[in-house]
Amino acid sequence: MTARPPVRTVLMNPGPVNTAQTVREALGGPDLCHREPEFGALMTRVRRKITAVCGAGDDHTSVVLTGSGTSALEATLTSALPENGGLLVVDNGHYGRRLYDIASAHGIRCVRLELGWGTPVDPDAVGRALGADPGLTHLAVVHHETSTGMLNDVAALASTARAHGRRIIVDAVSSVGAEPLDAVRDGIDWLVGTANKCLEGMPGLAFVCAPRSAFEELATHPSRSFYLDLSRHYAAQVKTGAPAFTPAVPLFYAFEAALDLALAEGVASRGRRYGALAGKLRAGLTELGLSIPLDPWHRAVSLTAVRLPDGVPYANLHRALKERGFVIYAAQEQLAAGFFRLSTMGAMDERDIDTFLAAFGQVLPTLREPAAGGDSR
């Protein structure tokens, strides 16, 4: 008997994403001890390619952690701030608030500039907040706030931070590799990303890219974590060419394959590909009568927040579309009752969008629940 090939499911959640066959096949690389020079060479190649994707050269470097994007964010927030440092967090969505929560959990003095979900960031307001509190040594912001699909102008905020003599930490977990982002050009001090979103690798690896001089300074900062001590990982990976702890070796094989694809395609080209898919998706949803509230000039190319159709519960919509091979994503917190999210990250193409829109149009009339008091026959 021959096994039937698995049916492809299109993941329209913002990571993990659909990956290329070469990336999946790379997971089956040879068994390898992480203390052998072969793994050190693999890790060094991955780190170098990450740095290139981030737009940086030899004066920058990258450190890779086994963990989700949150692990790299926590490592950066707890390592980058000096003993008496303070953090200003821009909060205009779920993940901005999470930066504040991470820092607060470690006792770091943190001020939250709460703007409201989906509210564009005013660099002047950020400048005033920094100017009012000289003890705030760092600014933290999310580039692509996936709770709403909003893209924040990190270049403008980095300029504001520099004007006030502060450093900026950018959560680029859902943007690096596709959105316009360049660590050097945009003046980003600490850029945090992950393998499994716009870089189209497998989940389980995250990274931090920064100037080598910034990593060197970490040795003078307090160690607020053992496993997530970025100075420890930097010293091990960059200076000795070996990981500090046992890493997820197969994921490095897959990540290198994904990075090779990303570098060959180019960040700008991948952004255009995602943007074309997002445009096609948004136009089709609009034709079906759905609403996309976020202003077009603030939208990321890789995710769209959509208002649920009247009378259609999210659970019913999710189930019906999953049966047809598409996984959609729930909204969070204050948007959970009325919205859902669709990602255009990953190895998908126009045929996937066309098929999705056709499936959506088919299931929509069958999912509307009768209005209260109406005839349910």
Side-chain angles (χ1 to χ4, degrees), residues 222-307:
S223 178
R224 298 181 174 97
S225 174
F226 188 83
Y227 185 80
L228 296 178
D229 182 350
L230 205 53
S231 181
R232 182 193 305 274
H233 288 282
Y234 168 74
Q237 294 183 23
V238 178
K239 296 186 176 182
T240 69
F245 307 103
T246 305
V249 173
L251 296 182
F252 278 81
Y253 289 131
F255 197 17
E256 182 173 36
L259 286 165
D260 287 341
L261 292 174
L263 289 167
E265 183 175 14
V267 172
S269 294
R270 180 162 292 184
R272 287 191 292 270
R273 173 164 64 88
Y274 285 9
L277 295 175
K280 189 177 187 67
L281 174 67
R282 292 161 184 168
L285 292 171
T286 301
E287 288 181 8
L288 290 170
L290 277 74
S291 171
I292 303 169
L294 194 64
D295 290 333
W297 49 88
H298 293 305
R299 295 174 187 168
V301 298
S302 55
L303 185 130
T304 305
V306 187
R307 192 179 299 278

Side-chain angles (χ1 to χ4, degrees), residues 44-121:
T44 299
R45 293 195 305 271
V46 167
R47 290 179 38 250
R48 185 178 67 248
K49 292 172 184 181
I50 288 169
T51 305
V53 165
C54 294
D58 290 342
D59 58 343
H60 282 61
T61 192
S62 297
V63 166
V64 188
L65 303 177
T66 294
S68 69
T70 304
S71 69
L73 286 168
E74 187 158 1
T76 304
L77 291 170
T78 55
S79 301
L81 272 80
E83 184 172 5
N84 296 318
L87 184 69
L88 176 65
V89 171
V90 175
D91 174 4
N92 64 344
H94 172 84
Y95 293 96
R97 172 57 192 254
R98 190 176 64 167
L99 294 174
Y100 173 83
D101 290 340
I102 292 170
S104 298
H106 290 273
I108 296 170
R109 191 173 81 83
C110 191
V111 174
R112 181 163 61 109
L113 184 62
E114 186 177 6
L115 304 176
W117 283 35
T119 302
V121 182

Side-chain angles (χ1 to χ4, degrees), residues 300-350:
V301 298
S302 55
L303 185 130
T304 305
V306 187
R307 192 179 299 278
L308 279 166
D310 291 339
V312 178
Y314 170 77
N316 295 358
L317 182 63
H318 179 274
R319 181 177 61 252
L321 289 169
K322 187 174 182 180
E323 289 171 353
R324 288 158 176 81
F326 297 92
V327 172
I328 65 174
Y329 210 54
Q332 296 164 292
E333 297 180 42
Q334 57 191 270
L335 300 185
F339 291 83
F340 67 103
R341 292 175 290 170
L342 299 171
S343 168
T344 41
M345 300 176 188
M348 66 174 70
D349 56 29
E350 290 189 356

